[in-house]
PDB file of all heavy atoms in Angstrom:
ATOM      1  N   LEU O  64       1.187  -6.327  15.128  1.00 95.00           N
ATOM      2  CA  LEU O  64       1.515  -6.417  13.655  1.00 95.00           C
ATOM      3  C   LEU O  64       2.307  -5.108  13.229  1.00 95.00           C
ATOM      4  O   LEU O  64       3.367  -5.229  12.429  1.00 95.00           O
ATOM      5  CB  LEU O  64       0.263  -6.388  12.834  1.00 95.00           C
ATOM      6  CG  LEU O  64       0.440  -6.334  11.307  1.00 95.00           C
ATOM      7  CD1 LEU O  64       1.315  -7.615  10.776  1.00 95.00           C
ATOM      8  CD2 LEU O  64      -1.008  -6.442  10.563  1.00 95.00           C
ATOM      9  N   ALA O  65       1.997  -3.915  13.890  1.00 96.00           N
ATOM     10  CA  ALA O  65       2.693  -2.753  13.557  1.00 96.00           C
ATOM     11  C   ALA O  65       4.178  -2.869  14.003  1.00 96.00           C
ATOM     12  O   ALA O  65       5.104  -2.537  13.301  1.00 96.00           O
ATOM     13  CB  ALA O  65       1.984  -1.599  14.277  1.00 96.00           C
ATOM     14  N   LEU O  66       4.345  -3.467  15.133  1.00 96.00           N
ATOM     15  CA  LEU O  66       5.681  -3.652  15.631  1.00 96.00           C
ATOM     16  C   LEU O  66       6.445  -4.634  14.786  1.00 96.00           C
ATOM     17  O   LEU O  66       7.749  -4.484  14.603  1.00 96.00           O
ATOM     18  CB  LEU O  66       5.637  -4.116  17.211  1.00 96.00           C
ATOM     19  CG  LEU O  66       7.036  -4.309  17.925  1.00 96.00           C
ATOM     20  CD1 LEU O  66       7.715  -2.834  17.858  1.00 96.00           C
ATOM     21  CD2 LEU O  66       6.790  -4.779  19.294  1.00 96.00           C
ATOM     22  N   THR O  67       5.864  -5.659  14.487  1.00 95.00           N
ATOM     23  CA  THR O  67       6.515  -6.673  13.534  1.00 95.00           C
ATOM     24  C   THR O  67       7.091  -6.057  12.271  1.00 95.00           C
ATOM     25  O   THR O  67       8.231  -6.233  11.845  1.00 95.00           O
ATOM     26  CB  THR O  67       5.553  -7.841  13.259  1.00 95.00           C
ATOM     27  OG1 THR O  67       5.203  -8.524  14.256  1.00 95.00           O
ATOM     28  CG2 THR O  67       6.253  -8.788  12.174  1.00 95.00           C
ATOM     29  N   CYS O  68       6.251  -5.203  11.685  1.00 95.00           N
ATOM     30  CA  CYS O  68       6.591  -4.524  10.416  1.00 95.00           C
ATOM     31  C   CYS O  68       7.768  -3.505  10.689  1.00 95.00           C
ATOM     32  O   CYS O  68       8.687  -3.410   9.967  1.00 95.00           O
ATOM     33  CB  CYS O  68       5.383  -3.669   9.750  1.00 95.00           C
ATOM     34  SG  CYS O  68       4.136  -4.887   9.228  1.00 95.00           S
ATOM     35  N   LEU O  69       7.577  -2.790  11.846  1.00 96.00           N
ATOM     36  CA  LEU O  69       8.590  -1.694  12.048  1.00 96.00           C
ATOM     37  C   LEU O  69       9.966  -2.352  12.522  1.00 96.00           C
ATOM     38  O   LEU O  69      11.076  -1.758  11.996  1.00 96.00           O
ATOM     39  CB  LEU O  69       8.078  -0.939  13.428  1.00 96.00           C
ATOM     40  CG  LEU O  69       8.945   0.247  13.927  1.00 96.00           C
ATOM     41  CD1 LEU O  69       9.183   1.225  12.810  1.00 96.00           C
ATOM     42  CD2 LEU O  69       8.400   0.827  15.122  1.00 96.00           C
ATOM     43  N   GLN O  70       9.938  -3.441  13.118  1.00 96.00           N
ATOM     44  CA  GLN O  70      11.349  -4.168  13.468  1.00 96.00           C
ATOM     45  C   GLN O  70      11.988  -4.635  12.154  1.00 96.00           C
ATOM     46  O   GLN O  70      13.176  -4.555  12.081  1.00 96.00           O
ATOM     47  CB  GLN O  70      11.111  -5.366  14.364  1.00 96.00           C
ATOM     48  CG  GLN O  70      10.736  -5.050  15.762  1.00 96.00           C
ATOM     49  CD  GLN O  70      10.268  -6.169  16.638  1.00 96.00           C
ATOM     50  OE1 GLN O  70       9.806  -7.199  16.096  1.00 96.00           O
ATOM     51  NE2 GLN O  70      10.419  -6.037  17.953  1.00 96.00           N
ATOM     52  N   GLU O  71      11.228  -5.040  11.139  1.00 95.00           N
ATOM     53  CA  GLU O  71      11.889  -5.527   9.865  1.00 95.00           C
ATOM     54  C   GLU O  71      12.439  -4.203   9.127  1.00 95.00           C
ATOM     55  O   GLU O  71      13.481  -4.158   8.630  1.00 95.00           O
ATOM     56  CB  GLU O  71      10.867  -6.184   9.023  1.00 95.00           C
ATOM     57  CG  GLU O  71      10.323  -7.517   9.525  1.00 95.00           C
ATOM     58  CD  GLU O  71      11.468  -8.506   9.568  1.00 95.00           C
ATOM     59  OE1 GLU O  71      12.458  -8.359   8.784  1.00 95.00           O
ATOM     60  OE2 GLU O  71      11.448  -9.405  10.533  1.00 95.00           O
ATOM     61  N   LEU O  72      11.698  -3.159   9.207  1.00 96.00           N
ATOM     62  CA  LEU O  72      12.158  -1.856   8.552  1.00 96.00           C
ATOM     63  C   LEU O  72      13.432  -1.345   9.402  1.00 96.00           C
ATOM     64  O   LEU O  72      14.234  -0.824   8.679  1.00 96.00           O
ATOM     65  CB  LEU O  72      11.080  -0.812   8.646  1.00 96.00           C
ATOM     66  CG  LEU O  72       9.839  -1.162   7.645  1.00 96.00           C
ATOM     67  CD1 LEU O  72       8.680  -0.231   7.896  1.00 96.00           C
ATOM     68  CD2 LEU O  72      10.288  -0.967   6.137  1.00 96.00           C
ATOM     69  N   ARG O  73      13.354  -1.437  10.600  1.00 95.00           N
ATOM     70  CA  ARG O  73      14.567  -0.921  11.312  1.00 95.00           C
ATOM     71  C   ARG O  73      15.904  -1.695  11.031  1.00 95.00           C
ATOM     72  O   ARG O  73      16.949  -1.135  10.837  1.00 95.00           O
ATOM     73  CB  ARG O  73      14.273  -1.102  12.907  1.00 95.00           C
ATOM     74  CG  ARG O  73      13.495   0.032  13.484  1.00 95.00           C
ATOM     75  CD  ARG O  73      13.186  -0.194  14.878  1.00 95.00           C
ATOM     76  NE  ARG O  73      12.505   0.709  15.588  1.00 95.00           N
ATOM     77  CZ  ARG O  73      11.790   0.563  16.727  1.00 95.00           C
ATOM     78  NH1 ARG O  73      11.820  -0.752  17.284  1.00 95.00           N
ATOM     79  NH2 ARG O  73      11.080   1.548  17.291  1.00 95.00           N
ATOM     80  N   LYS O  74      15.674  -2.998  10.754  1.00 95.00           N
ATOM     81  CA  LYS O  74      16.813  -3.880  10.447  1.00 95.00           C
ATOM     82  C   LYS O  74      17.400  -3.495   9.138  1.00 95.00           C
ATOM     83  O   LYS O  74      18.554  -3.439   8.895  1.00 95.00           O
ATOM     84  CB  LYS O  74      16.445  -5.386  10.369  1.00 95.00           C
ATOM     85  CG  LYS O  74      16.133  -6.037  11.716  1.00 95.00           C
ATOM     86  CD  LYS O  74      15.782  -7.456  11.585  1.00 95.00           C
ATOM     87  CE  LYS O  74      15.126  -7.996  12.847  1.00 95.00           C
ATOM     88  NZ  LYS O  74      14.541  -9.334  12.580  1.00 95.00           N
ATOM     89  N   GLN O  75      16.433  -3.195   8.169  1.00 94.00           N
ATOM     90  CA  GLN O  75      16.805  -2.882   6.799  1.00 94.00           C
ATOM     91  C   GLN O  75      17.385  -1.453   6.631  1.00 94.00           C
ATOM     92  O   GLN O  75      18.372  -1.151   5.865  1.00 94.00           O
ATOM     93  CB  GLN O  75      15.766  -3.117   5.905  1.00 94.00           C
ATOM     94  CG  GLN O  75      16.045  -2.933   4.372  1.00 94.00           C
ATOM     95  CD  GLN O  75      17.115  -3.963   3.843  1.00 94.00           C
ATOM     96  OE1 GLN O  75      17.314  -5.036   4.442  1.00 94.00           O
ATOM     97  NE2 GLN O  75      17.688  -3.629   2.620  1.00 94.00           N
ATOM     98  N   PHE O  76      16.739  -0.484   7.404  1.00 95.00           N
ATOM     99  CA  PHE O  76      16.967   0.982   7.243  1.00 95.00           C
ATOM    100  C   PHE O  76      17.278   1.580   8.697  1.00 95.00           C
ATOM    101  O   PHE O  76      16.564   2.324   9.172  1.00 95.00           O
ATOM    102  CB  PHE O  76      15.965   1.630   6.533  1.00 95.00           C
ATOM    103  CG  PHE O  76      15.433   1.056   5.254  1.00 95.00           C
ATOM    104  CD1 PHE O  76      14.265   0.242   5.211  1.00 95.00           C
ATOM    105  CD2 PHE O  76      16.287   1.072   4.115  1.00 95.00           C
ATOM    106  CE1 PHE O  76      13.862  -0.341   3.936  1.00 95.00           C
ATOM    107  CE2 PHE O  76      15.838   0.620   2.910  1.00 95.00           C
ATOM    108  CZ  PHE O  76      14.634  -0.176   2.801  1.00 95.00           C
ATOM    109  N   PRO O  77      18.390   1.212   9.309  1.00 92.00           N
ATOM    110  CA  PRO O  77      18.583   1.591  10.720  1.00 92.00           C
ATOM    111  C   PRO O  77      18.698   3.123  10.858  1.00 92.00           C
ATOM    112  O   PRO O  77      18.357   3.606  11.997  1.00 92.00           O
ATOM    113  CB  PRO O  77      19.891   0.868  11.107  1.00 92.00           C
ATOM    114  CG  PRO O  77      20.565   0.605   9.861  1.00 92.00           C
ATOM    115  CD  PRO O  77      19.546   0.257   8.808  1.00 92.00           C
ATOM    116  N   ASP O  78      19.104   3.798   9.848  1.00 91.00           N
ATOM    117  CA  ASP O  78      19.343   5.322   9.960  1.00 91.00           C
ATOM    118  C   ASP O  78      18.280   6.175   9.216  1.00 91.00           C
ATOM    119  O   ASP O  78      18.611   7.383   9.140  1.00 91.00           O
ATOM    120  CB  ASP O  78      20.718   5.717   9.527  1.00 91.00           C
ATOM    121  CG  ASP O  78      21.908   4.986  10.320  1.00 91.00           C
ATOM    122  OD1 ASP O  78      21.733   4.906  11.618  1.00 91.00           O
ATOM    123  OD2 ASP O  78      22.727   4.471   9.653  1.00 91.00           O
ATOM    124  N   SER O  79      17.205   5.616   8.788  1.00 94.00           N
ATOM    125  CA  SER O  79      16.358   6.203   8.010  1.00 94.00           C
ATOM    126  C   SER O  79      15.387   7.101   8.745  1.00 94.00           C
ATOM    127  O   SER O  79      14.780   6.663   9.839  1.00 94.00           O
ATOM    128  CB  SER O  79      15.419   5.175   7.280  1.00 94.00           C
ATOM    129  OG  SER O  79      14.245   5.781   6.658  1.00 94.00           O
ATOM    130  N   HIS O  80      15.260   8.400   8.310  1.00 94.00           N
ATOM    131  CA  HIS O  80      14.326   9.345   9.008  1.00 94.00           C
ATOM    132  C   HIS O  80      12.897   8.815   8.756  1.00 94.00           C
ATOM    133  O   HIS O  80      12.073   9.026   9.703  1.00 94.00           O
ATOM    134  CB  HIS O  80      14.470  10.757   8.476  1.00 94.00           C
ATOM    135  CG  HIS O  80      15.665  11.433   8.860  1.00 94.00           C
ATOM    136  ND1 HIS O  80      16.365  12.550   8.282  1.00 94.00           N
ATOM    137  CD2 HIS O  80      16.590  11.106   9.924  1.00 94.00           C
ATOM    138  CE1 HIS O  80      17.246  12.869   8.823  1.00 94.00           C
ATOM    139  NE2 HIS O  80      17.607  12.072   9.800  1.00 94.00           N
ATOM    140  N   ARG O  81      12.743   8.291   7.716  1.00 94.00           N
ATOM    141  CA  ARG O  81      11.334   7.732   7.389  1.00 94.00           C
ATOM    142  C   ARG O  81      10.882   6.641   8.435  1.00 94.00           C
ATOM    143  O   ARG O  81       9.826   6.634   8.970  1.00 94.00           O
ATOM    144  CB  ARG O  81      11.230   7.163   6.010  1.00 94.00           C
ATOM    145  CG  ARG O  81       9.917   6.761   5.442  1.00 94.00           C
ATOM    146  CD  ARG O  81       9.948   6.661   4.001  1.00 94.00           C
ATOM    147  NE  ARG O  81       8.748   6.047   3.401  1.00 94.00           N
ATOM    148  CZ  ARG O  81       8.460   6.184   2.209  1.00 94.00           C
ATOM    149  NH1 ARG O  81       9.332   6.745   1.191  1.00 94.00           N
ATOM    150  NH2 ARG O  81       7.369   5.659   1.642  1.00 94.00           N
ATOM    151  N   VAL O  82      11.866   5.697   8.624  1.00 95.00           N
ATOM    152  CA  VAL O  82      11.691   4.772   9.862  1.00 95.00           C
ATOM    153  C   VAL O  82      11.392   5.344  11.147  1.00 95.00           C
ATOM    154  O   VAL O  82      10.678   4.847  11.861  1.00 95.00           O
ATOM    155  CB  VAL O  82      12.638   3.626   9.656  1.00 95.00           C
ATOM    156  CG1 VAL O  82      12.481   2.631  10.737  1.00 95.00           C
ATOM    157  CG2 VAL O  82      12.617   3.008   8.286  1.00 95.00           C
ATOM    158  N   LYS O  83      12.329   6.308  11.403  1.00 95.00           N
ATOM    159  CA  LYS O  83      12.128   6.972  12.643  1.00 95.00           C
ATOM    160  C   LYS O  83      10.840   7.593  12.864  1.00 95.00           C
ATOM    161  O   LYS O  83      10.256   7.704  14.007  1.00 95.00           O
ATOM    162  CB  LYS O  83      13.382   8.016  12.849  1.00 95.00           C
ATOM    163  CG  LYS O  83      14.736   7.392  13.037  1.00 95.00           C
ATOM    164  CD  LYS O  83      15.747   8.369  13.156  1.00 95.00           C
ATOM    165  CE  LYS O  83      17.226   7.667  13.273  1.00 95.00           C
ATOM    166  NZ  LYS O  83      18.277   8.680  13.310  1.00 95.00           N
ATOM    167  N   ARG O  84      10.404   8.212  11.743  1.00 95.00           N
ATOM    168  CA  ARG O  84       9.006   8.752  11.809  1.00 95.00           C
ATOM    169  C   ARG O  84       7.860   7.861  12.077  1.00 95.00           C
ATOM    170  O   ARG O  84       6.920   8.045  12.899  1.00 95.00           O
ATOM    171  CB  ARG O  84       8.675   9.484  10.566  1.00 95.00           C
ATOM    172  CG  ARG O  84       7.325  10.152  10.401  1.00 95.00           C
ATOM    173  CD  ARG O  84       7.120  11.106   9.201  1.00 95.00           C
ATOM    174  NE  ARG O  84       7.446  10.375   7.950  1.00 95.00           N
ATOM    175  CZ  ARG O  84       6.567   9.470   7.286  1.00 95.00           C
ATOM    176  NH1 ARG O  84       5.425   9.413   7.788  1.00 95.00           N
ATOM    177  NH2 ARG O  84       6.938   9.085   6.234  1.00 95.00           N
ATOM    178  N   LEU O  85       8.101   6.602  11.476  1.00 96.00           N
ATOM    179  CA  LEU O  85       7.084   5.354  11.731  1.00 96.00           C
ATOM    180  C   LEU O  85       7.284   5.028  13.238  1.00 96.00           C
ATOM    181  O   LEU O  85       6.101   4.785  13.827  1.00 96.00           O
ATOM    182  CB  LEU O  85       7.460   4.260  10.853  1.00 96.00           C
ATOM    183  CG  LEU O  85       7.118   4.535   9.304  1.00 96.00           C
ATOM    184  CD1 LEU O  85       7.631   3.296   8.550  1.00 96.00           C
ATOM    185  CD2 LEU O  85       5.615   4.775   9.088  1.00 96.00           C
ATOM    186  N   THR O  86       8.328   5.121  13.805  1.00 96.00           N
ATOM    187  CA  THR O  86       8.463   4.792  15.175  1.00 96.00           C
ATOM    188  C   THR O  86       7.746   5.774  16.001  1.00 96.00           C
ATOM    189  O   THR O  86       6.969   5.484  16.969  1.00 96.00           O
ATOM    190  CB  THR O  86       9.950   4.741  15.682  1.00 96.00           C
ATOM    191  OG1 THR O  86      10.770   3.839  14.772  1.00 96.00           O
ATOM    192  CG2 THR O  86      10.228   4.481  17.191  1.00 96.00           C
ATOM    193  N   GLY O  87       7.849   7.085  15.601  1.00 96.00           N
ATOM    194  CA  GLY O  87       7.067   8.023  16.321  1.00 96.00           C
ATOM    195  C   GLY O  87       5.575   7.980  16.138  1.00 96.00           C
ATOM    196  O   GLY O  87       4.831   8.065  17.192  1.00 96.00           O
ATOM    197  N   MET O  88       5.158   7.522  15.096  1.00 96.00           N
ATOM    198  CA  MET O  88       3.743   7.244  14.804  1.00 96.00           C
ATOM    199  C   MET O  88       3.222   6.145  15.688  1.00 96.00           C
ATOM    200  O   MET O  88       2.137   6.217  16.174  1.00 96.00           O
ATOM    201  CB  MET O  88       3.440   6.980  13.380  1.00 96.00           C
ATOM    202  CG  MET O  88       3.538   8.141  12.362  1.00 96.00           C
ATOM    203  SD  MET O  88       3.555   7.827  10.618  1.00 96.00           S
ATOM    204  CE  MET O  88       1.743   7.278  10.515  1.00 96.00           C
TER     205      MET O  88
END
């Protein structure tokens, strides 16, 4: 489920530091 959410966020915000932090988490 975490990966599903993360993939959607990456598509919408590919350069976001916030999304990159979620990737790290």
Side-chain angles (χ1 to χ4, degrees):
L64 179 58
L66 184 57
T67 297
C68 296
L69 182 58
Q70 287 171 338
E71 294 297 326
L72 289 166
R73 280 175 178 162
K74 289 177 192 174
Q75 182 69 16
F76 309 104
D78 300 317
S79 166
H80 286 166
R81 188 163 172 170
V82 174
K83 289 177 182 176
R84 174 171 57 83
L85 291 172
T86 302
M88 291 172 65

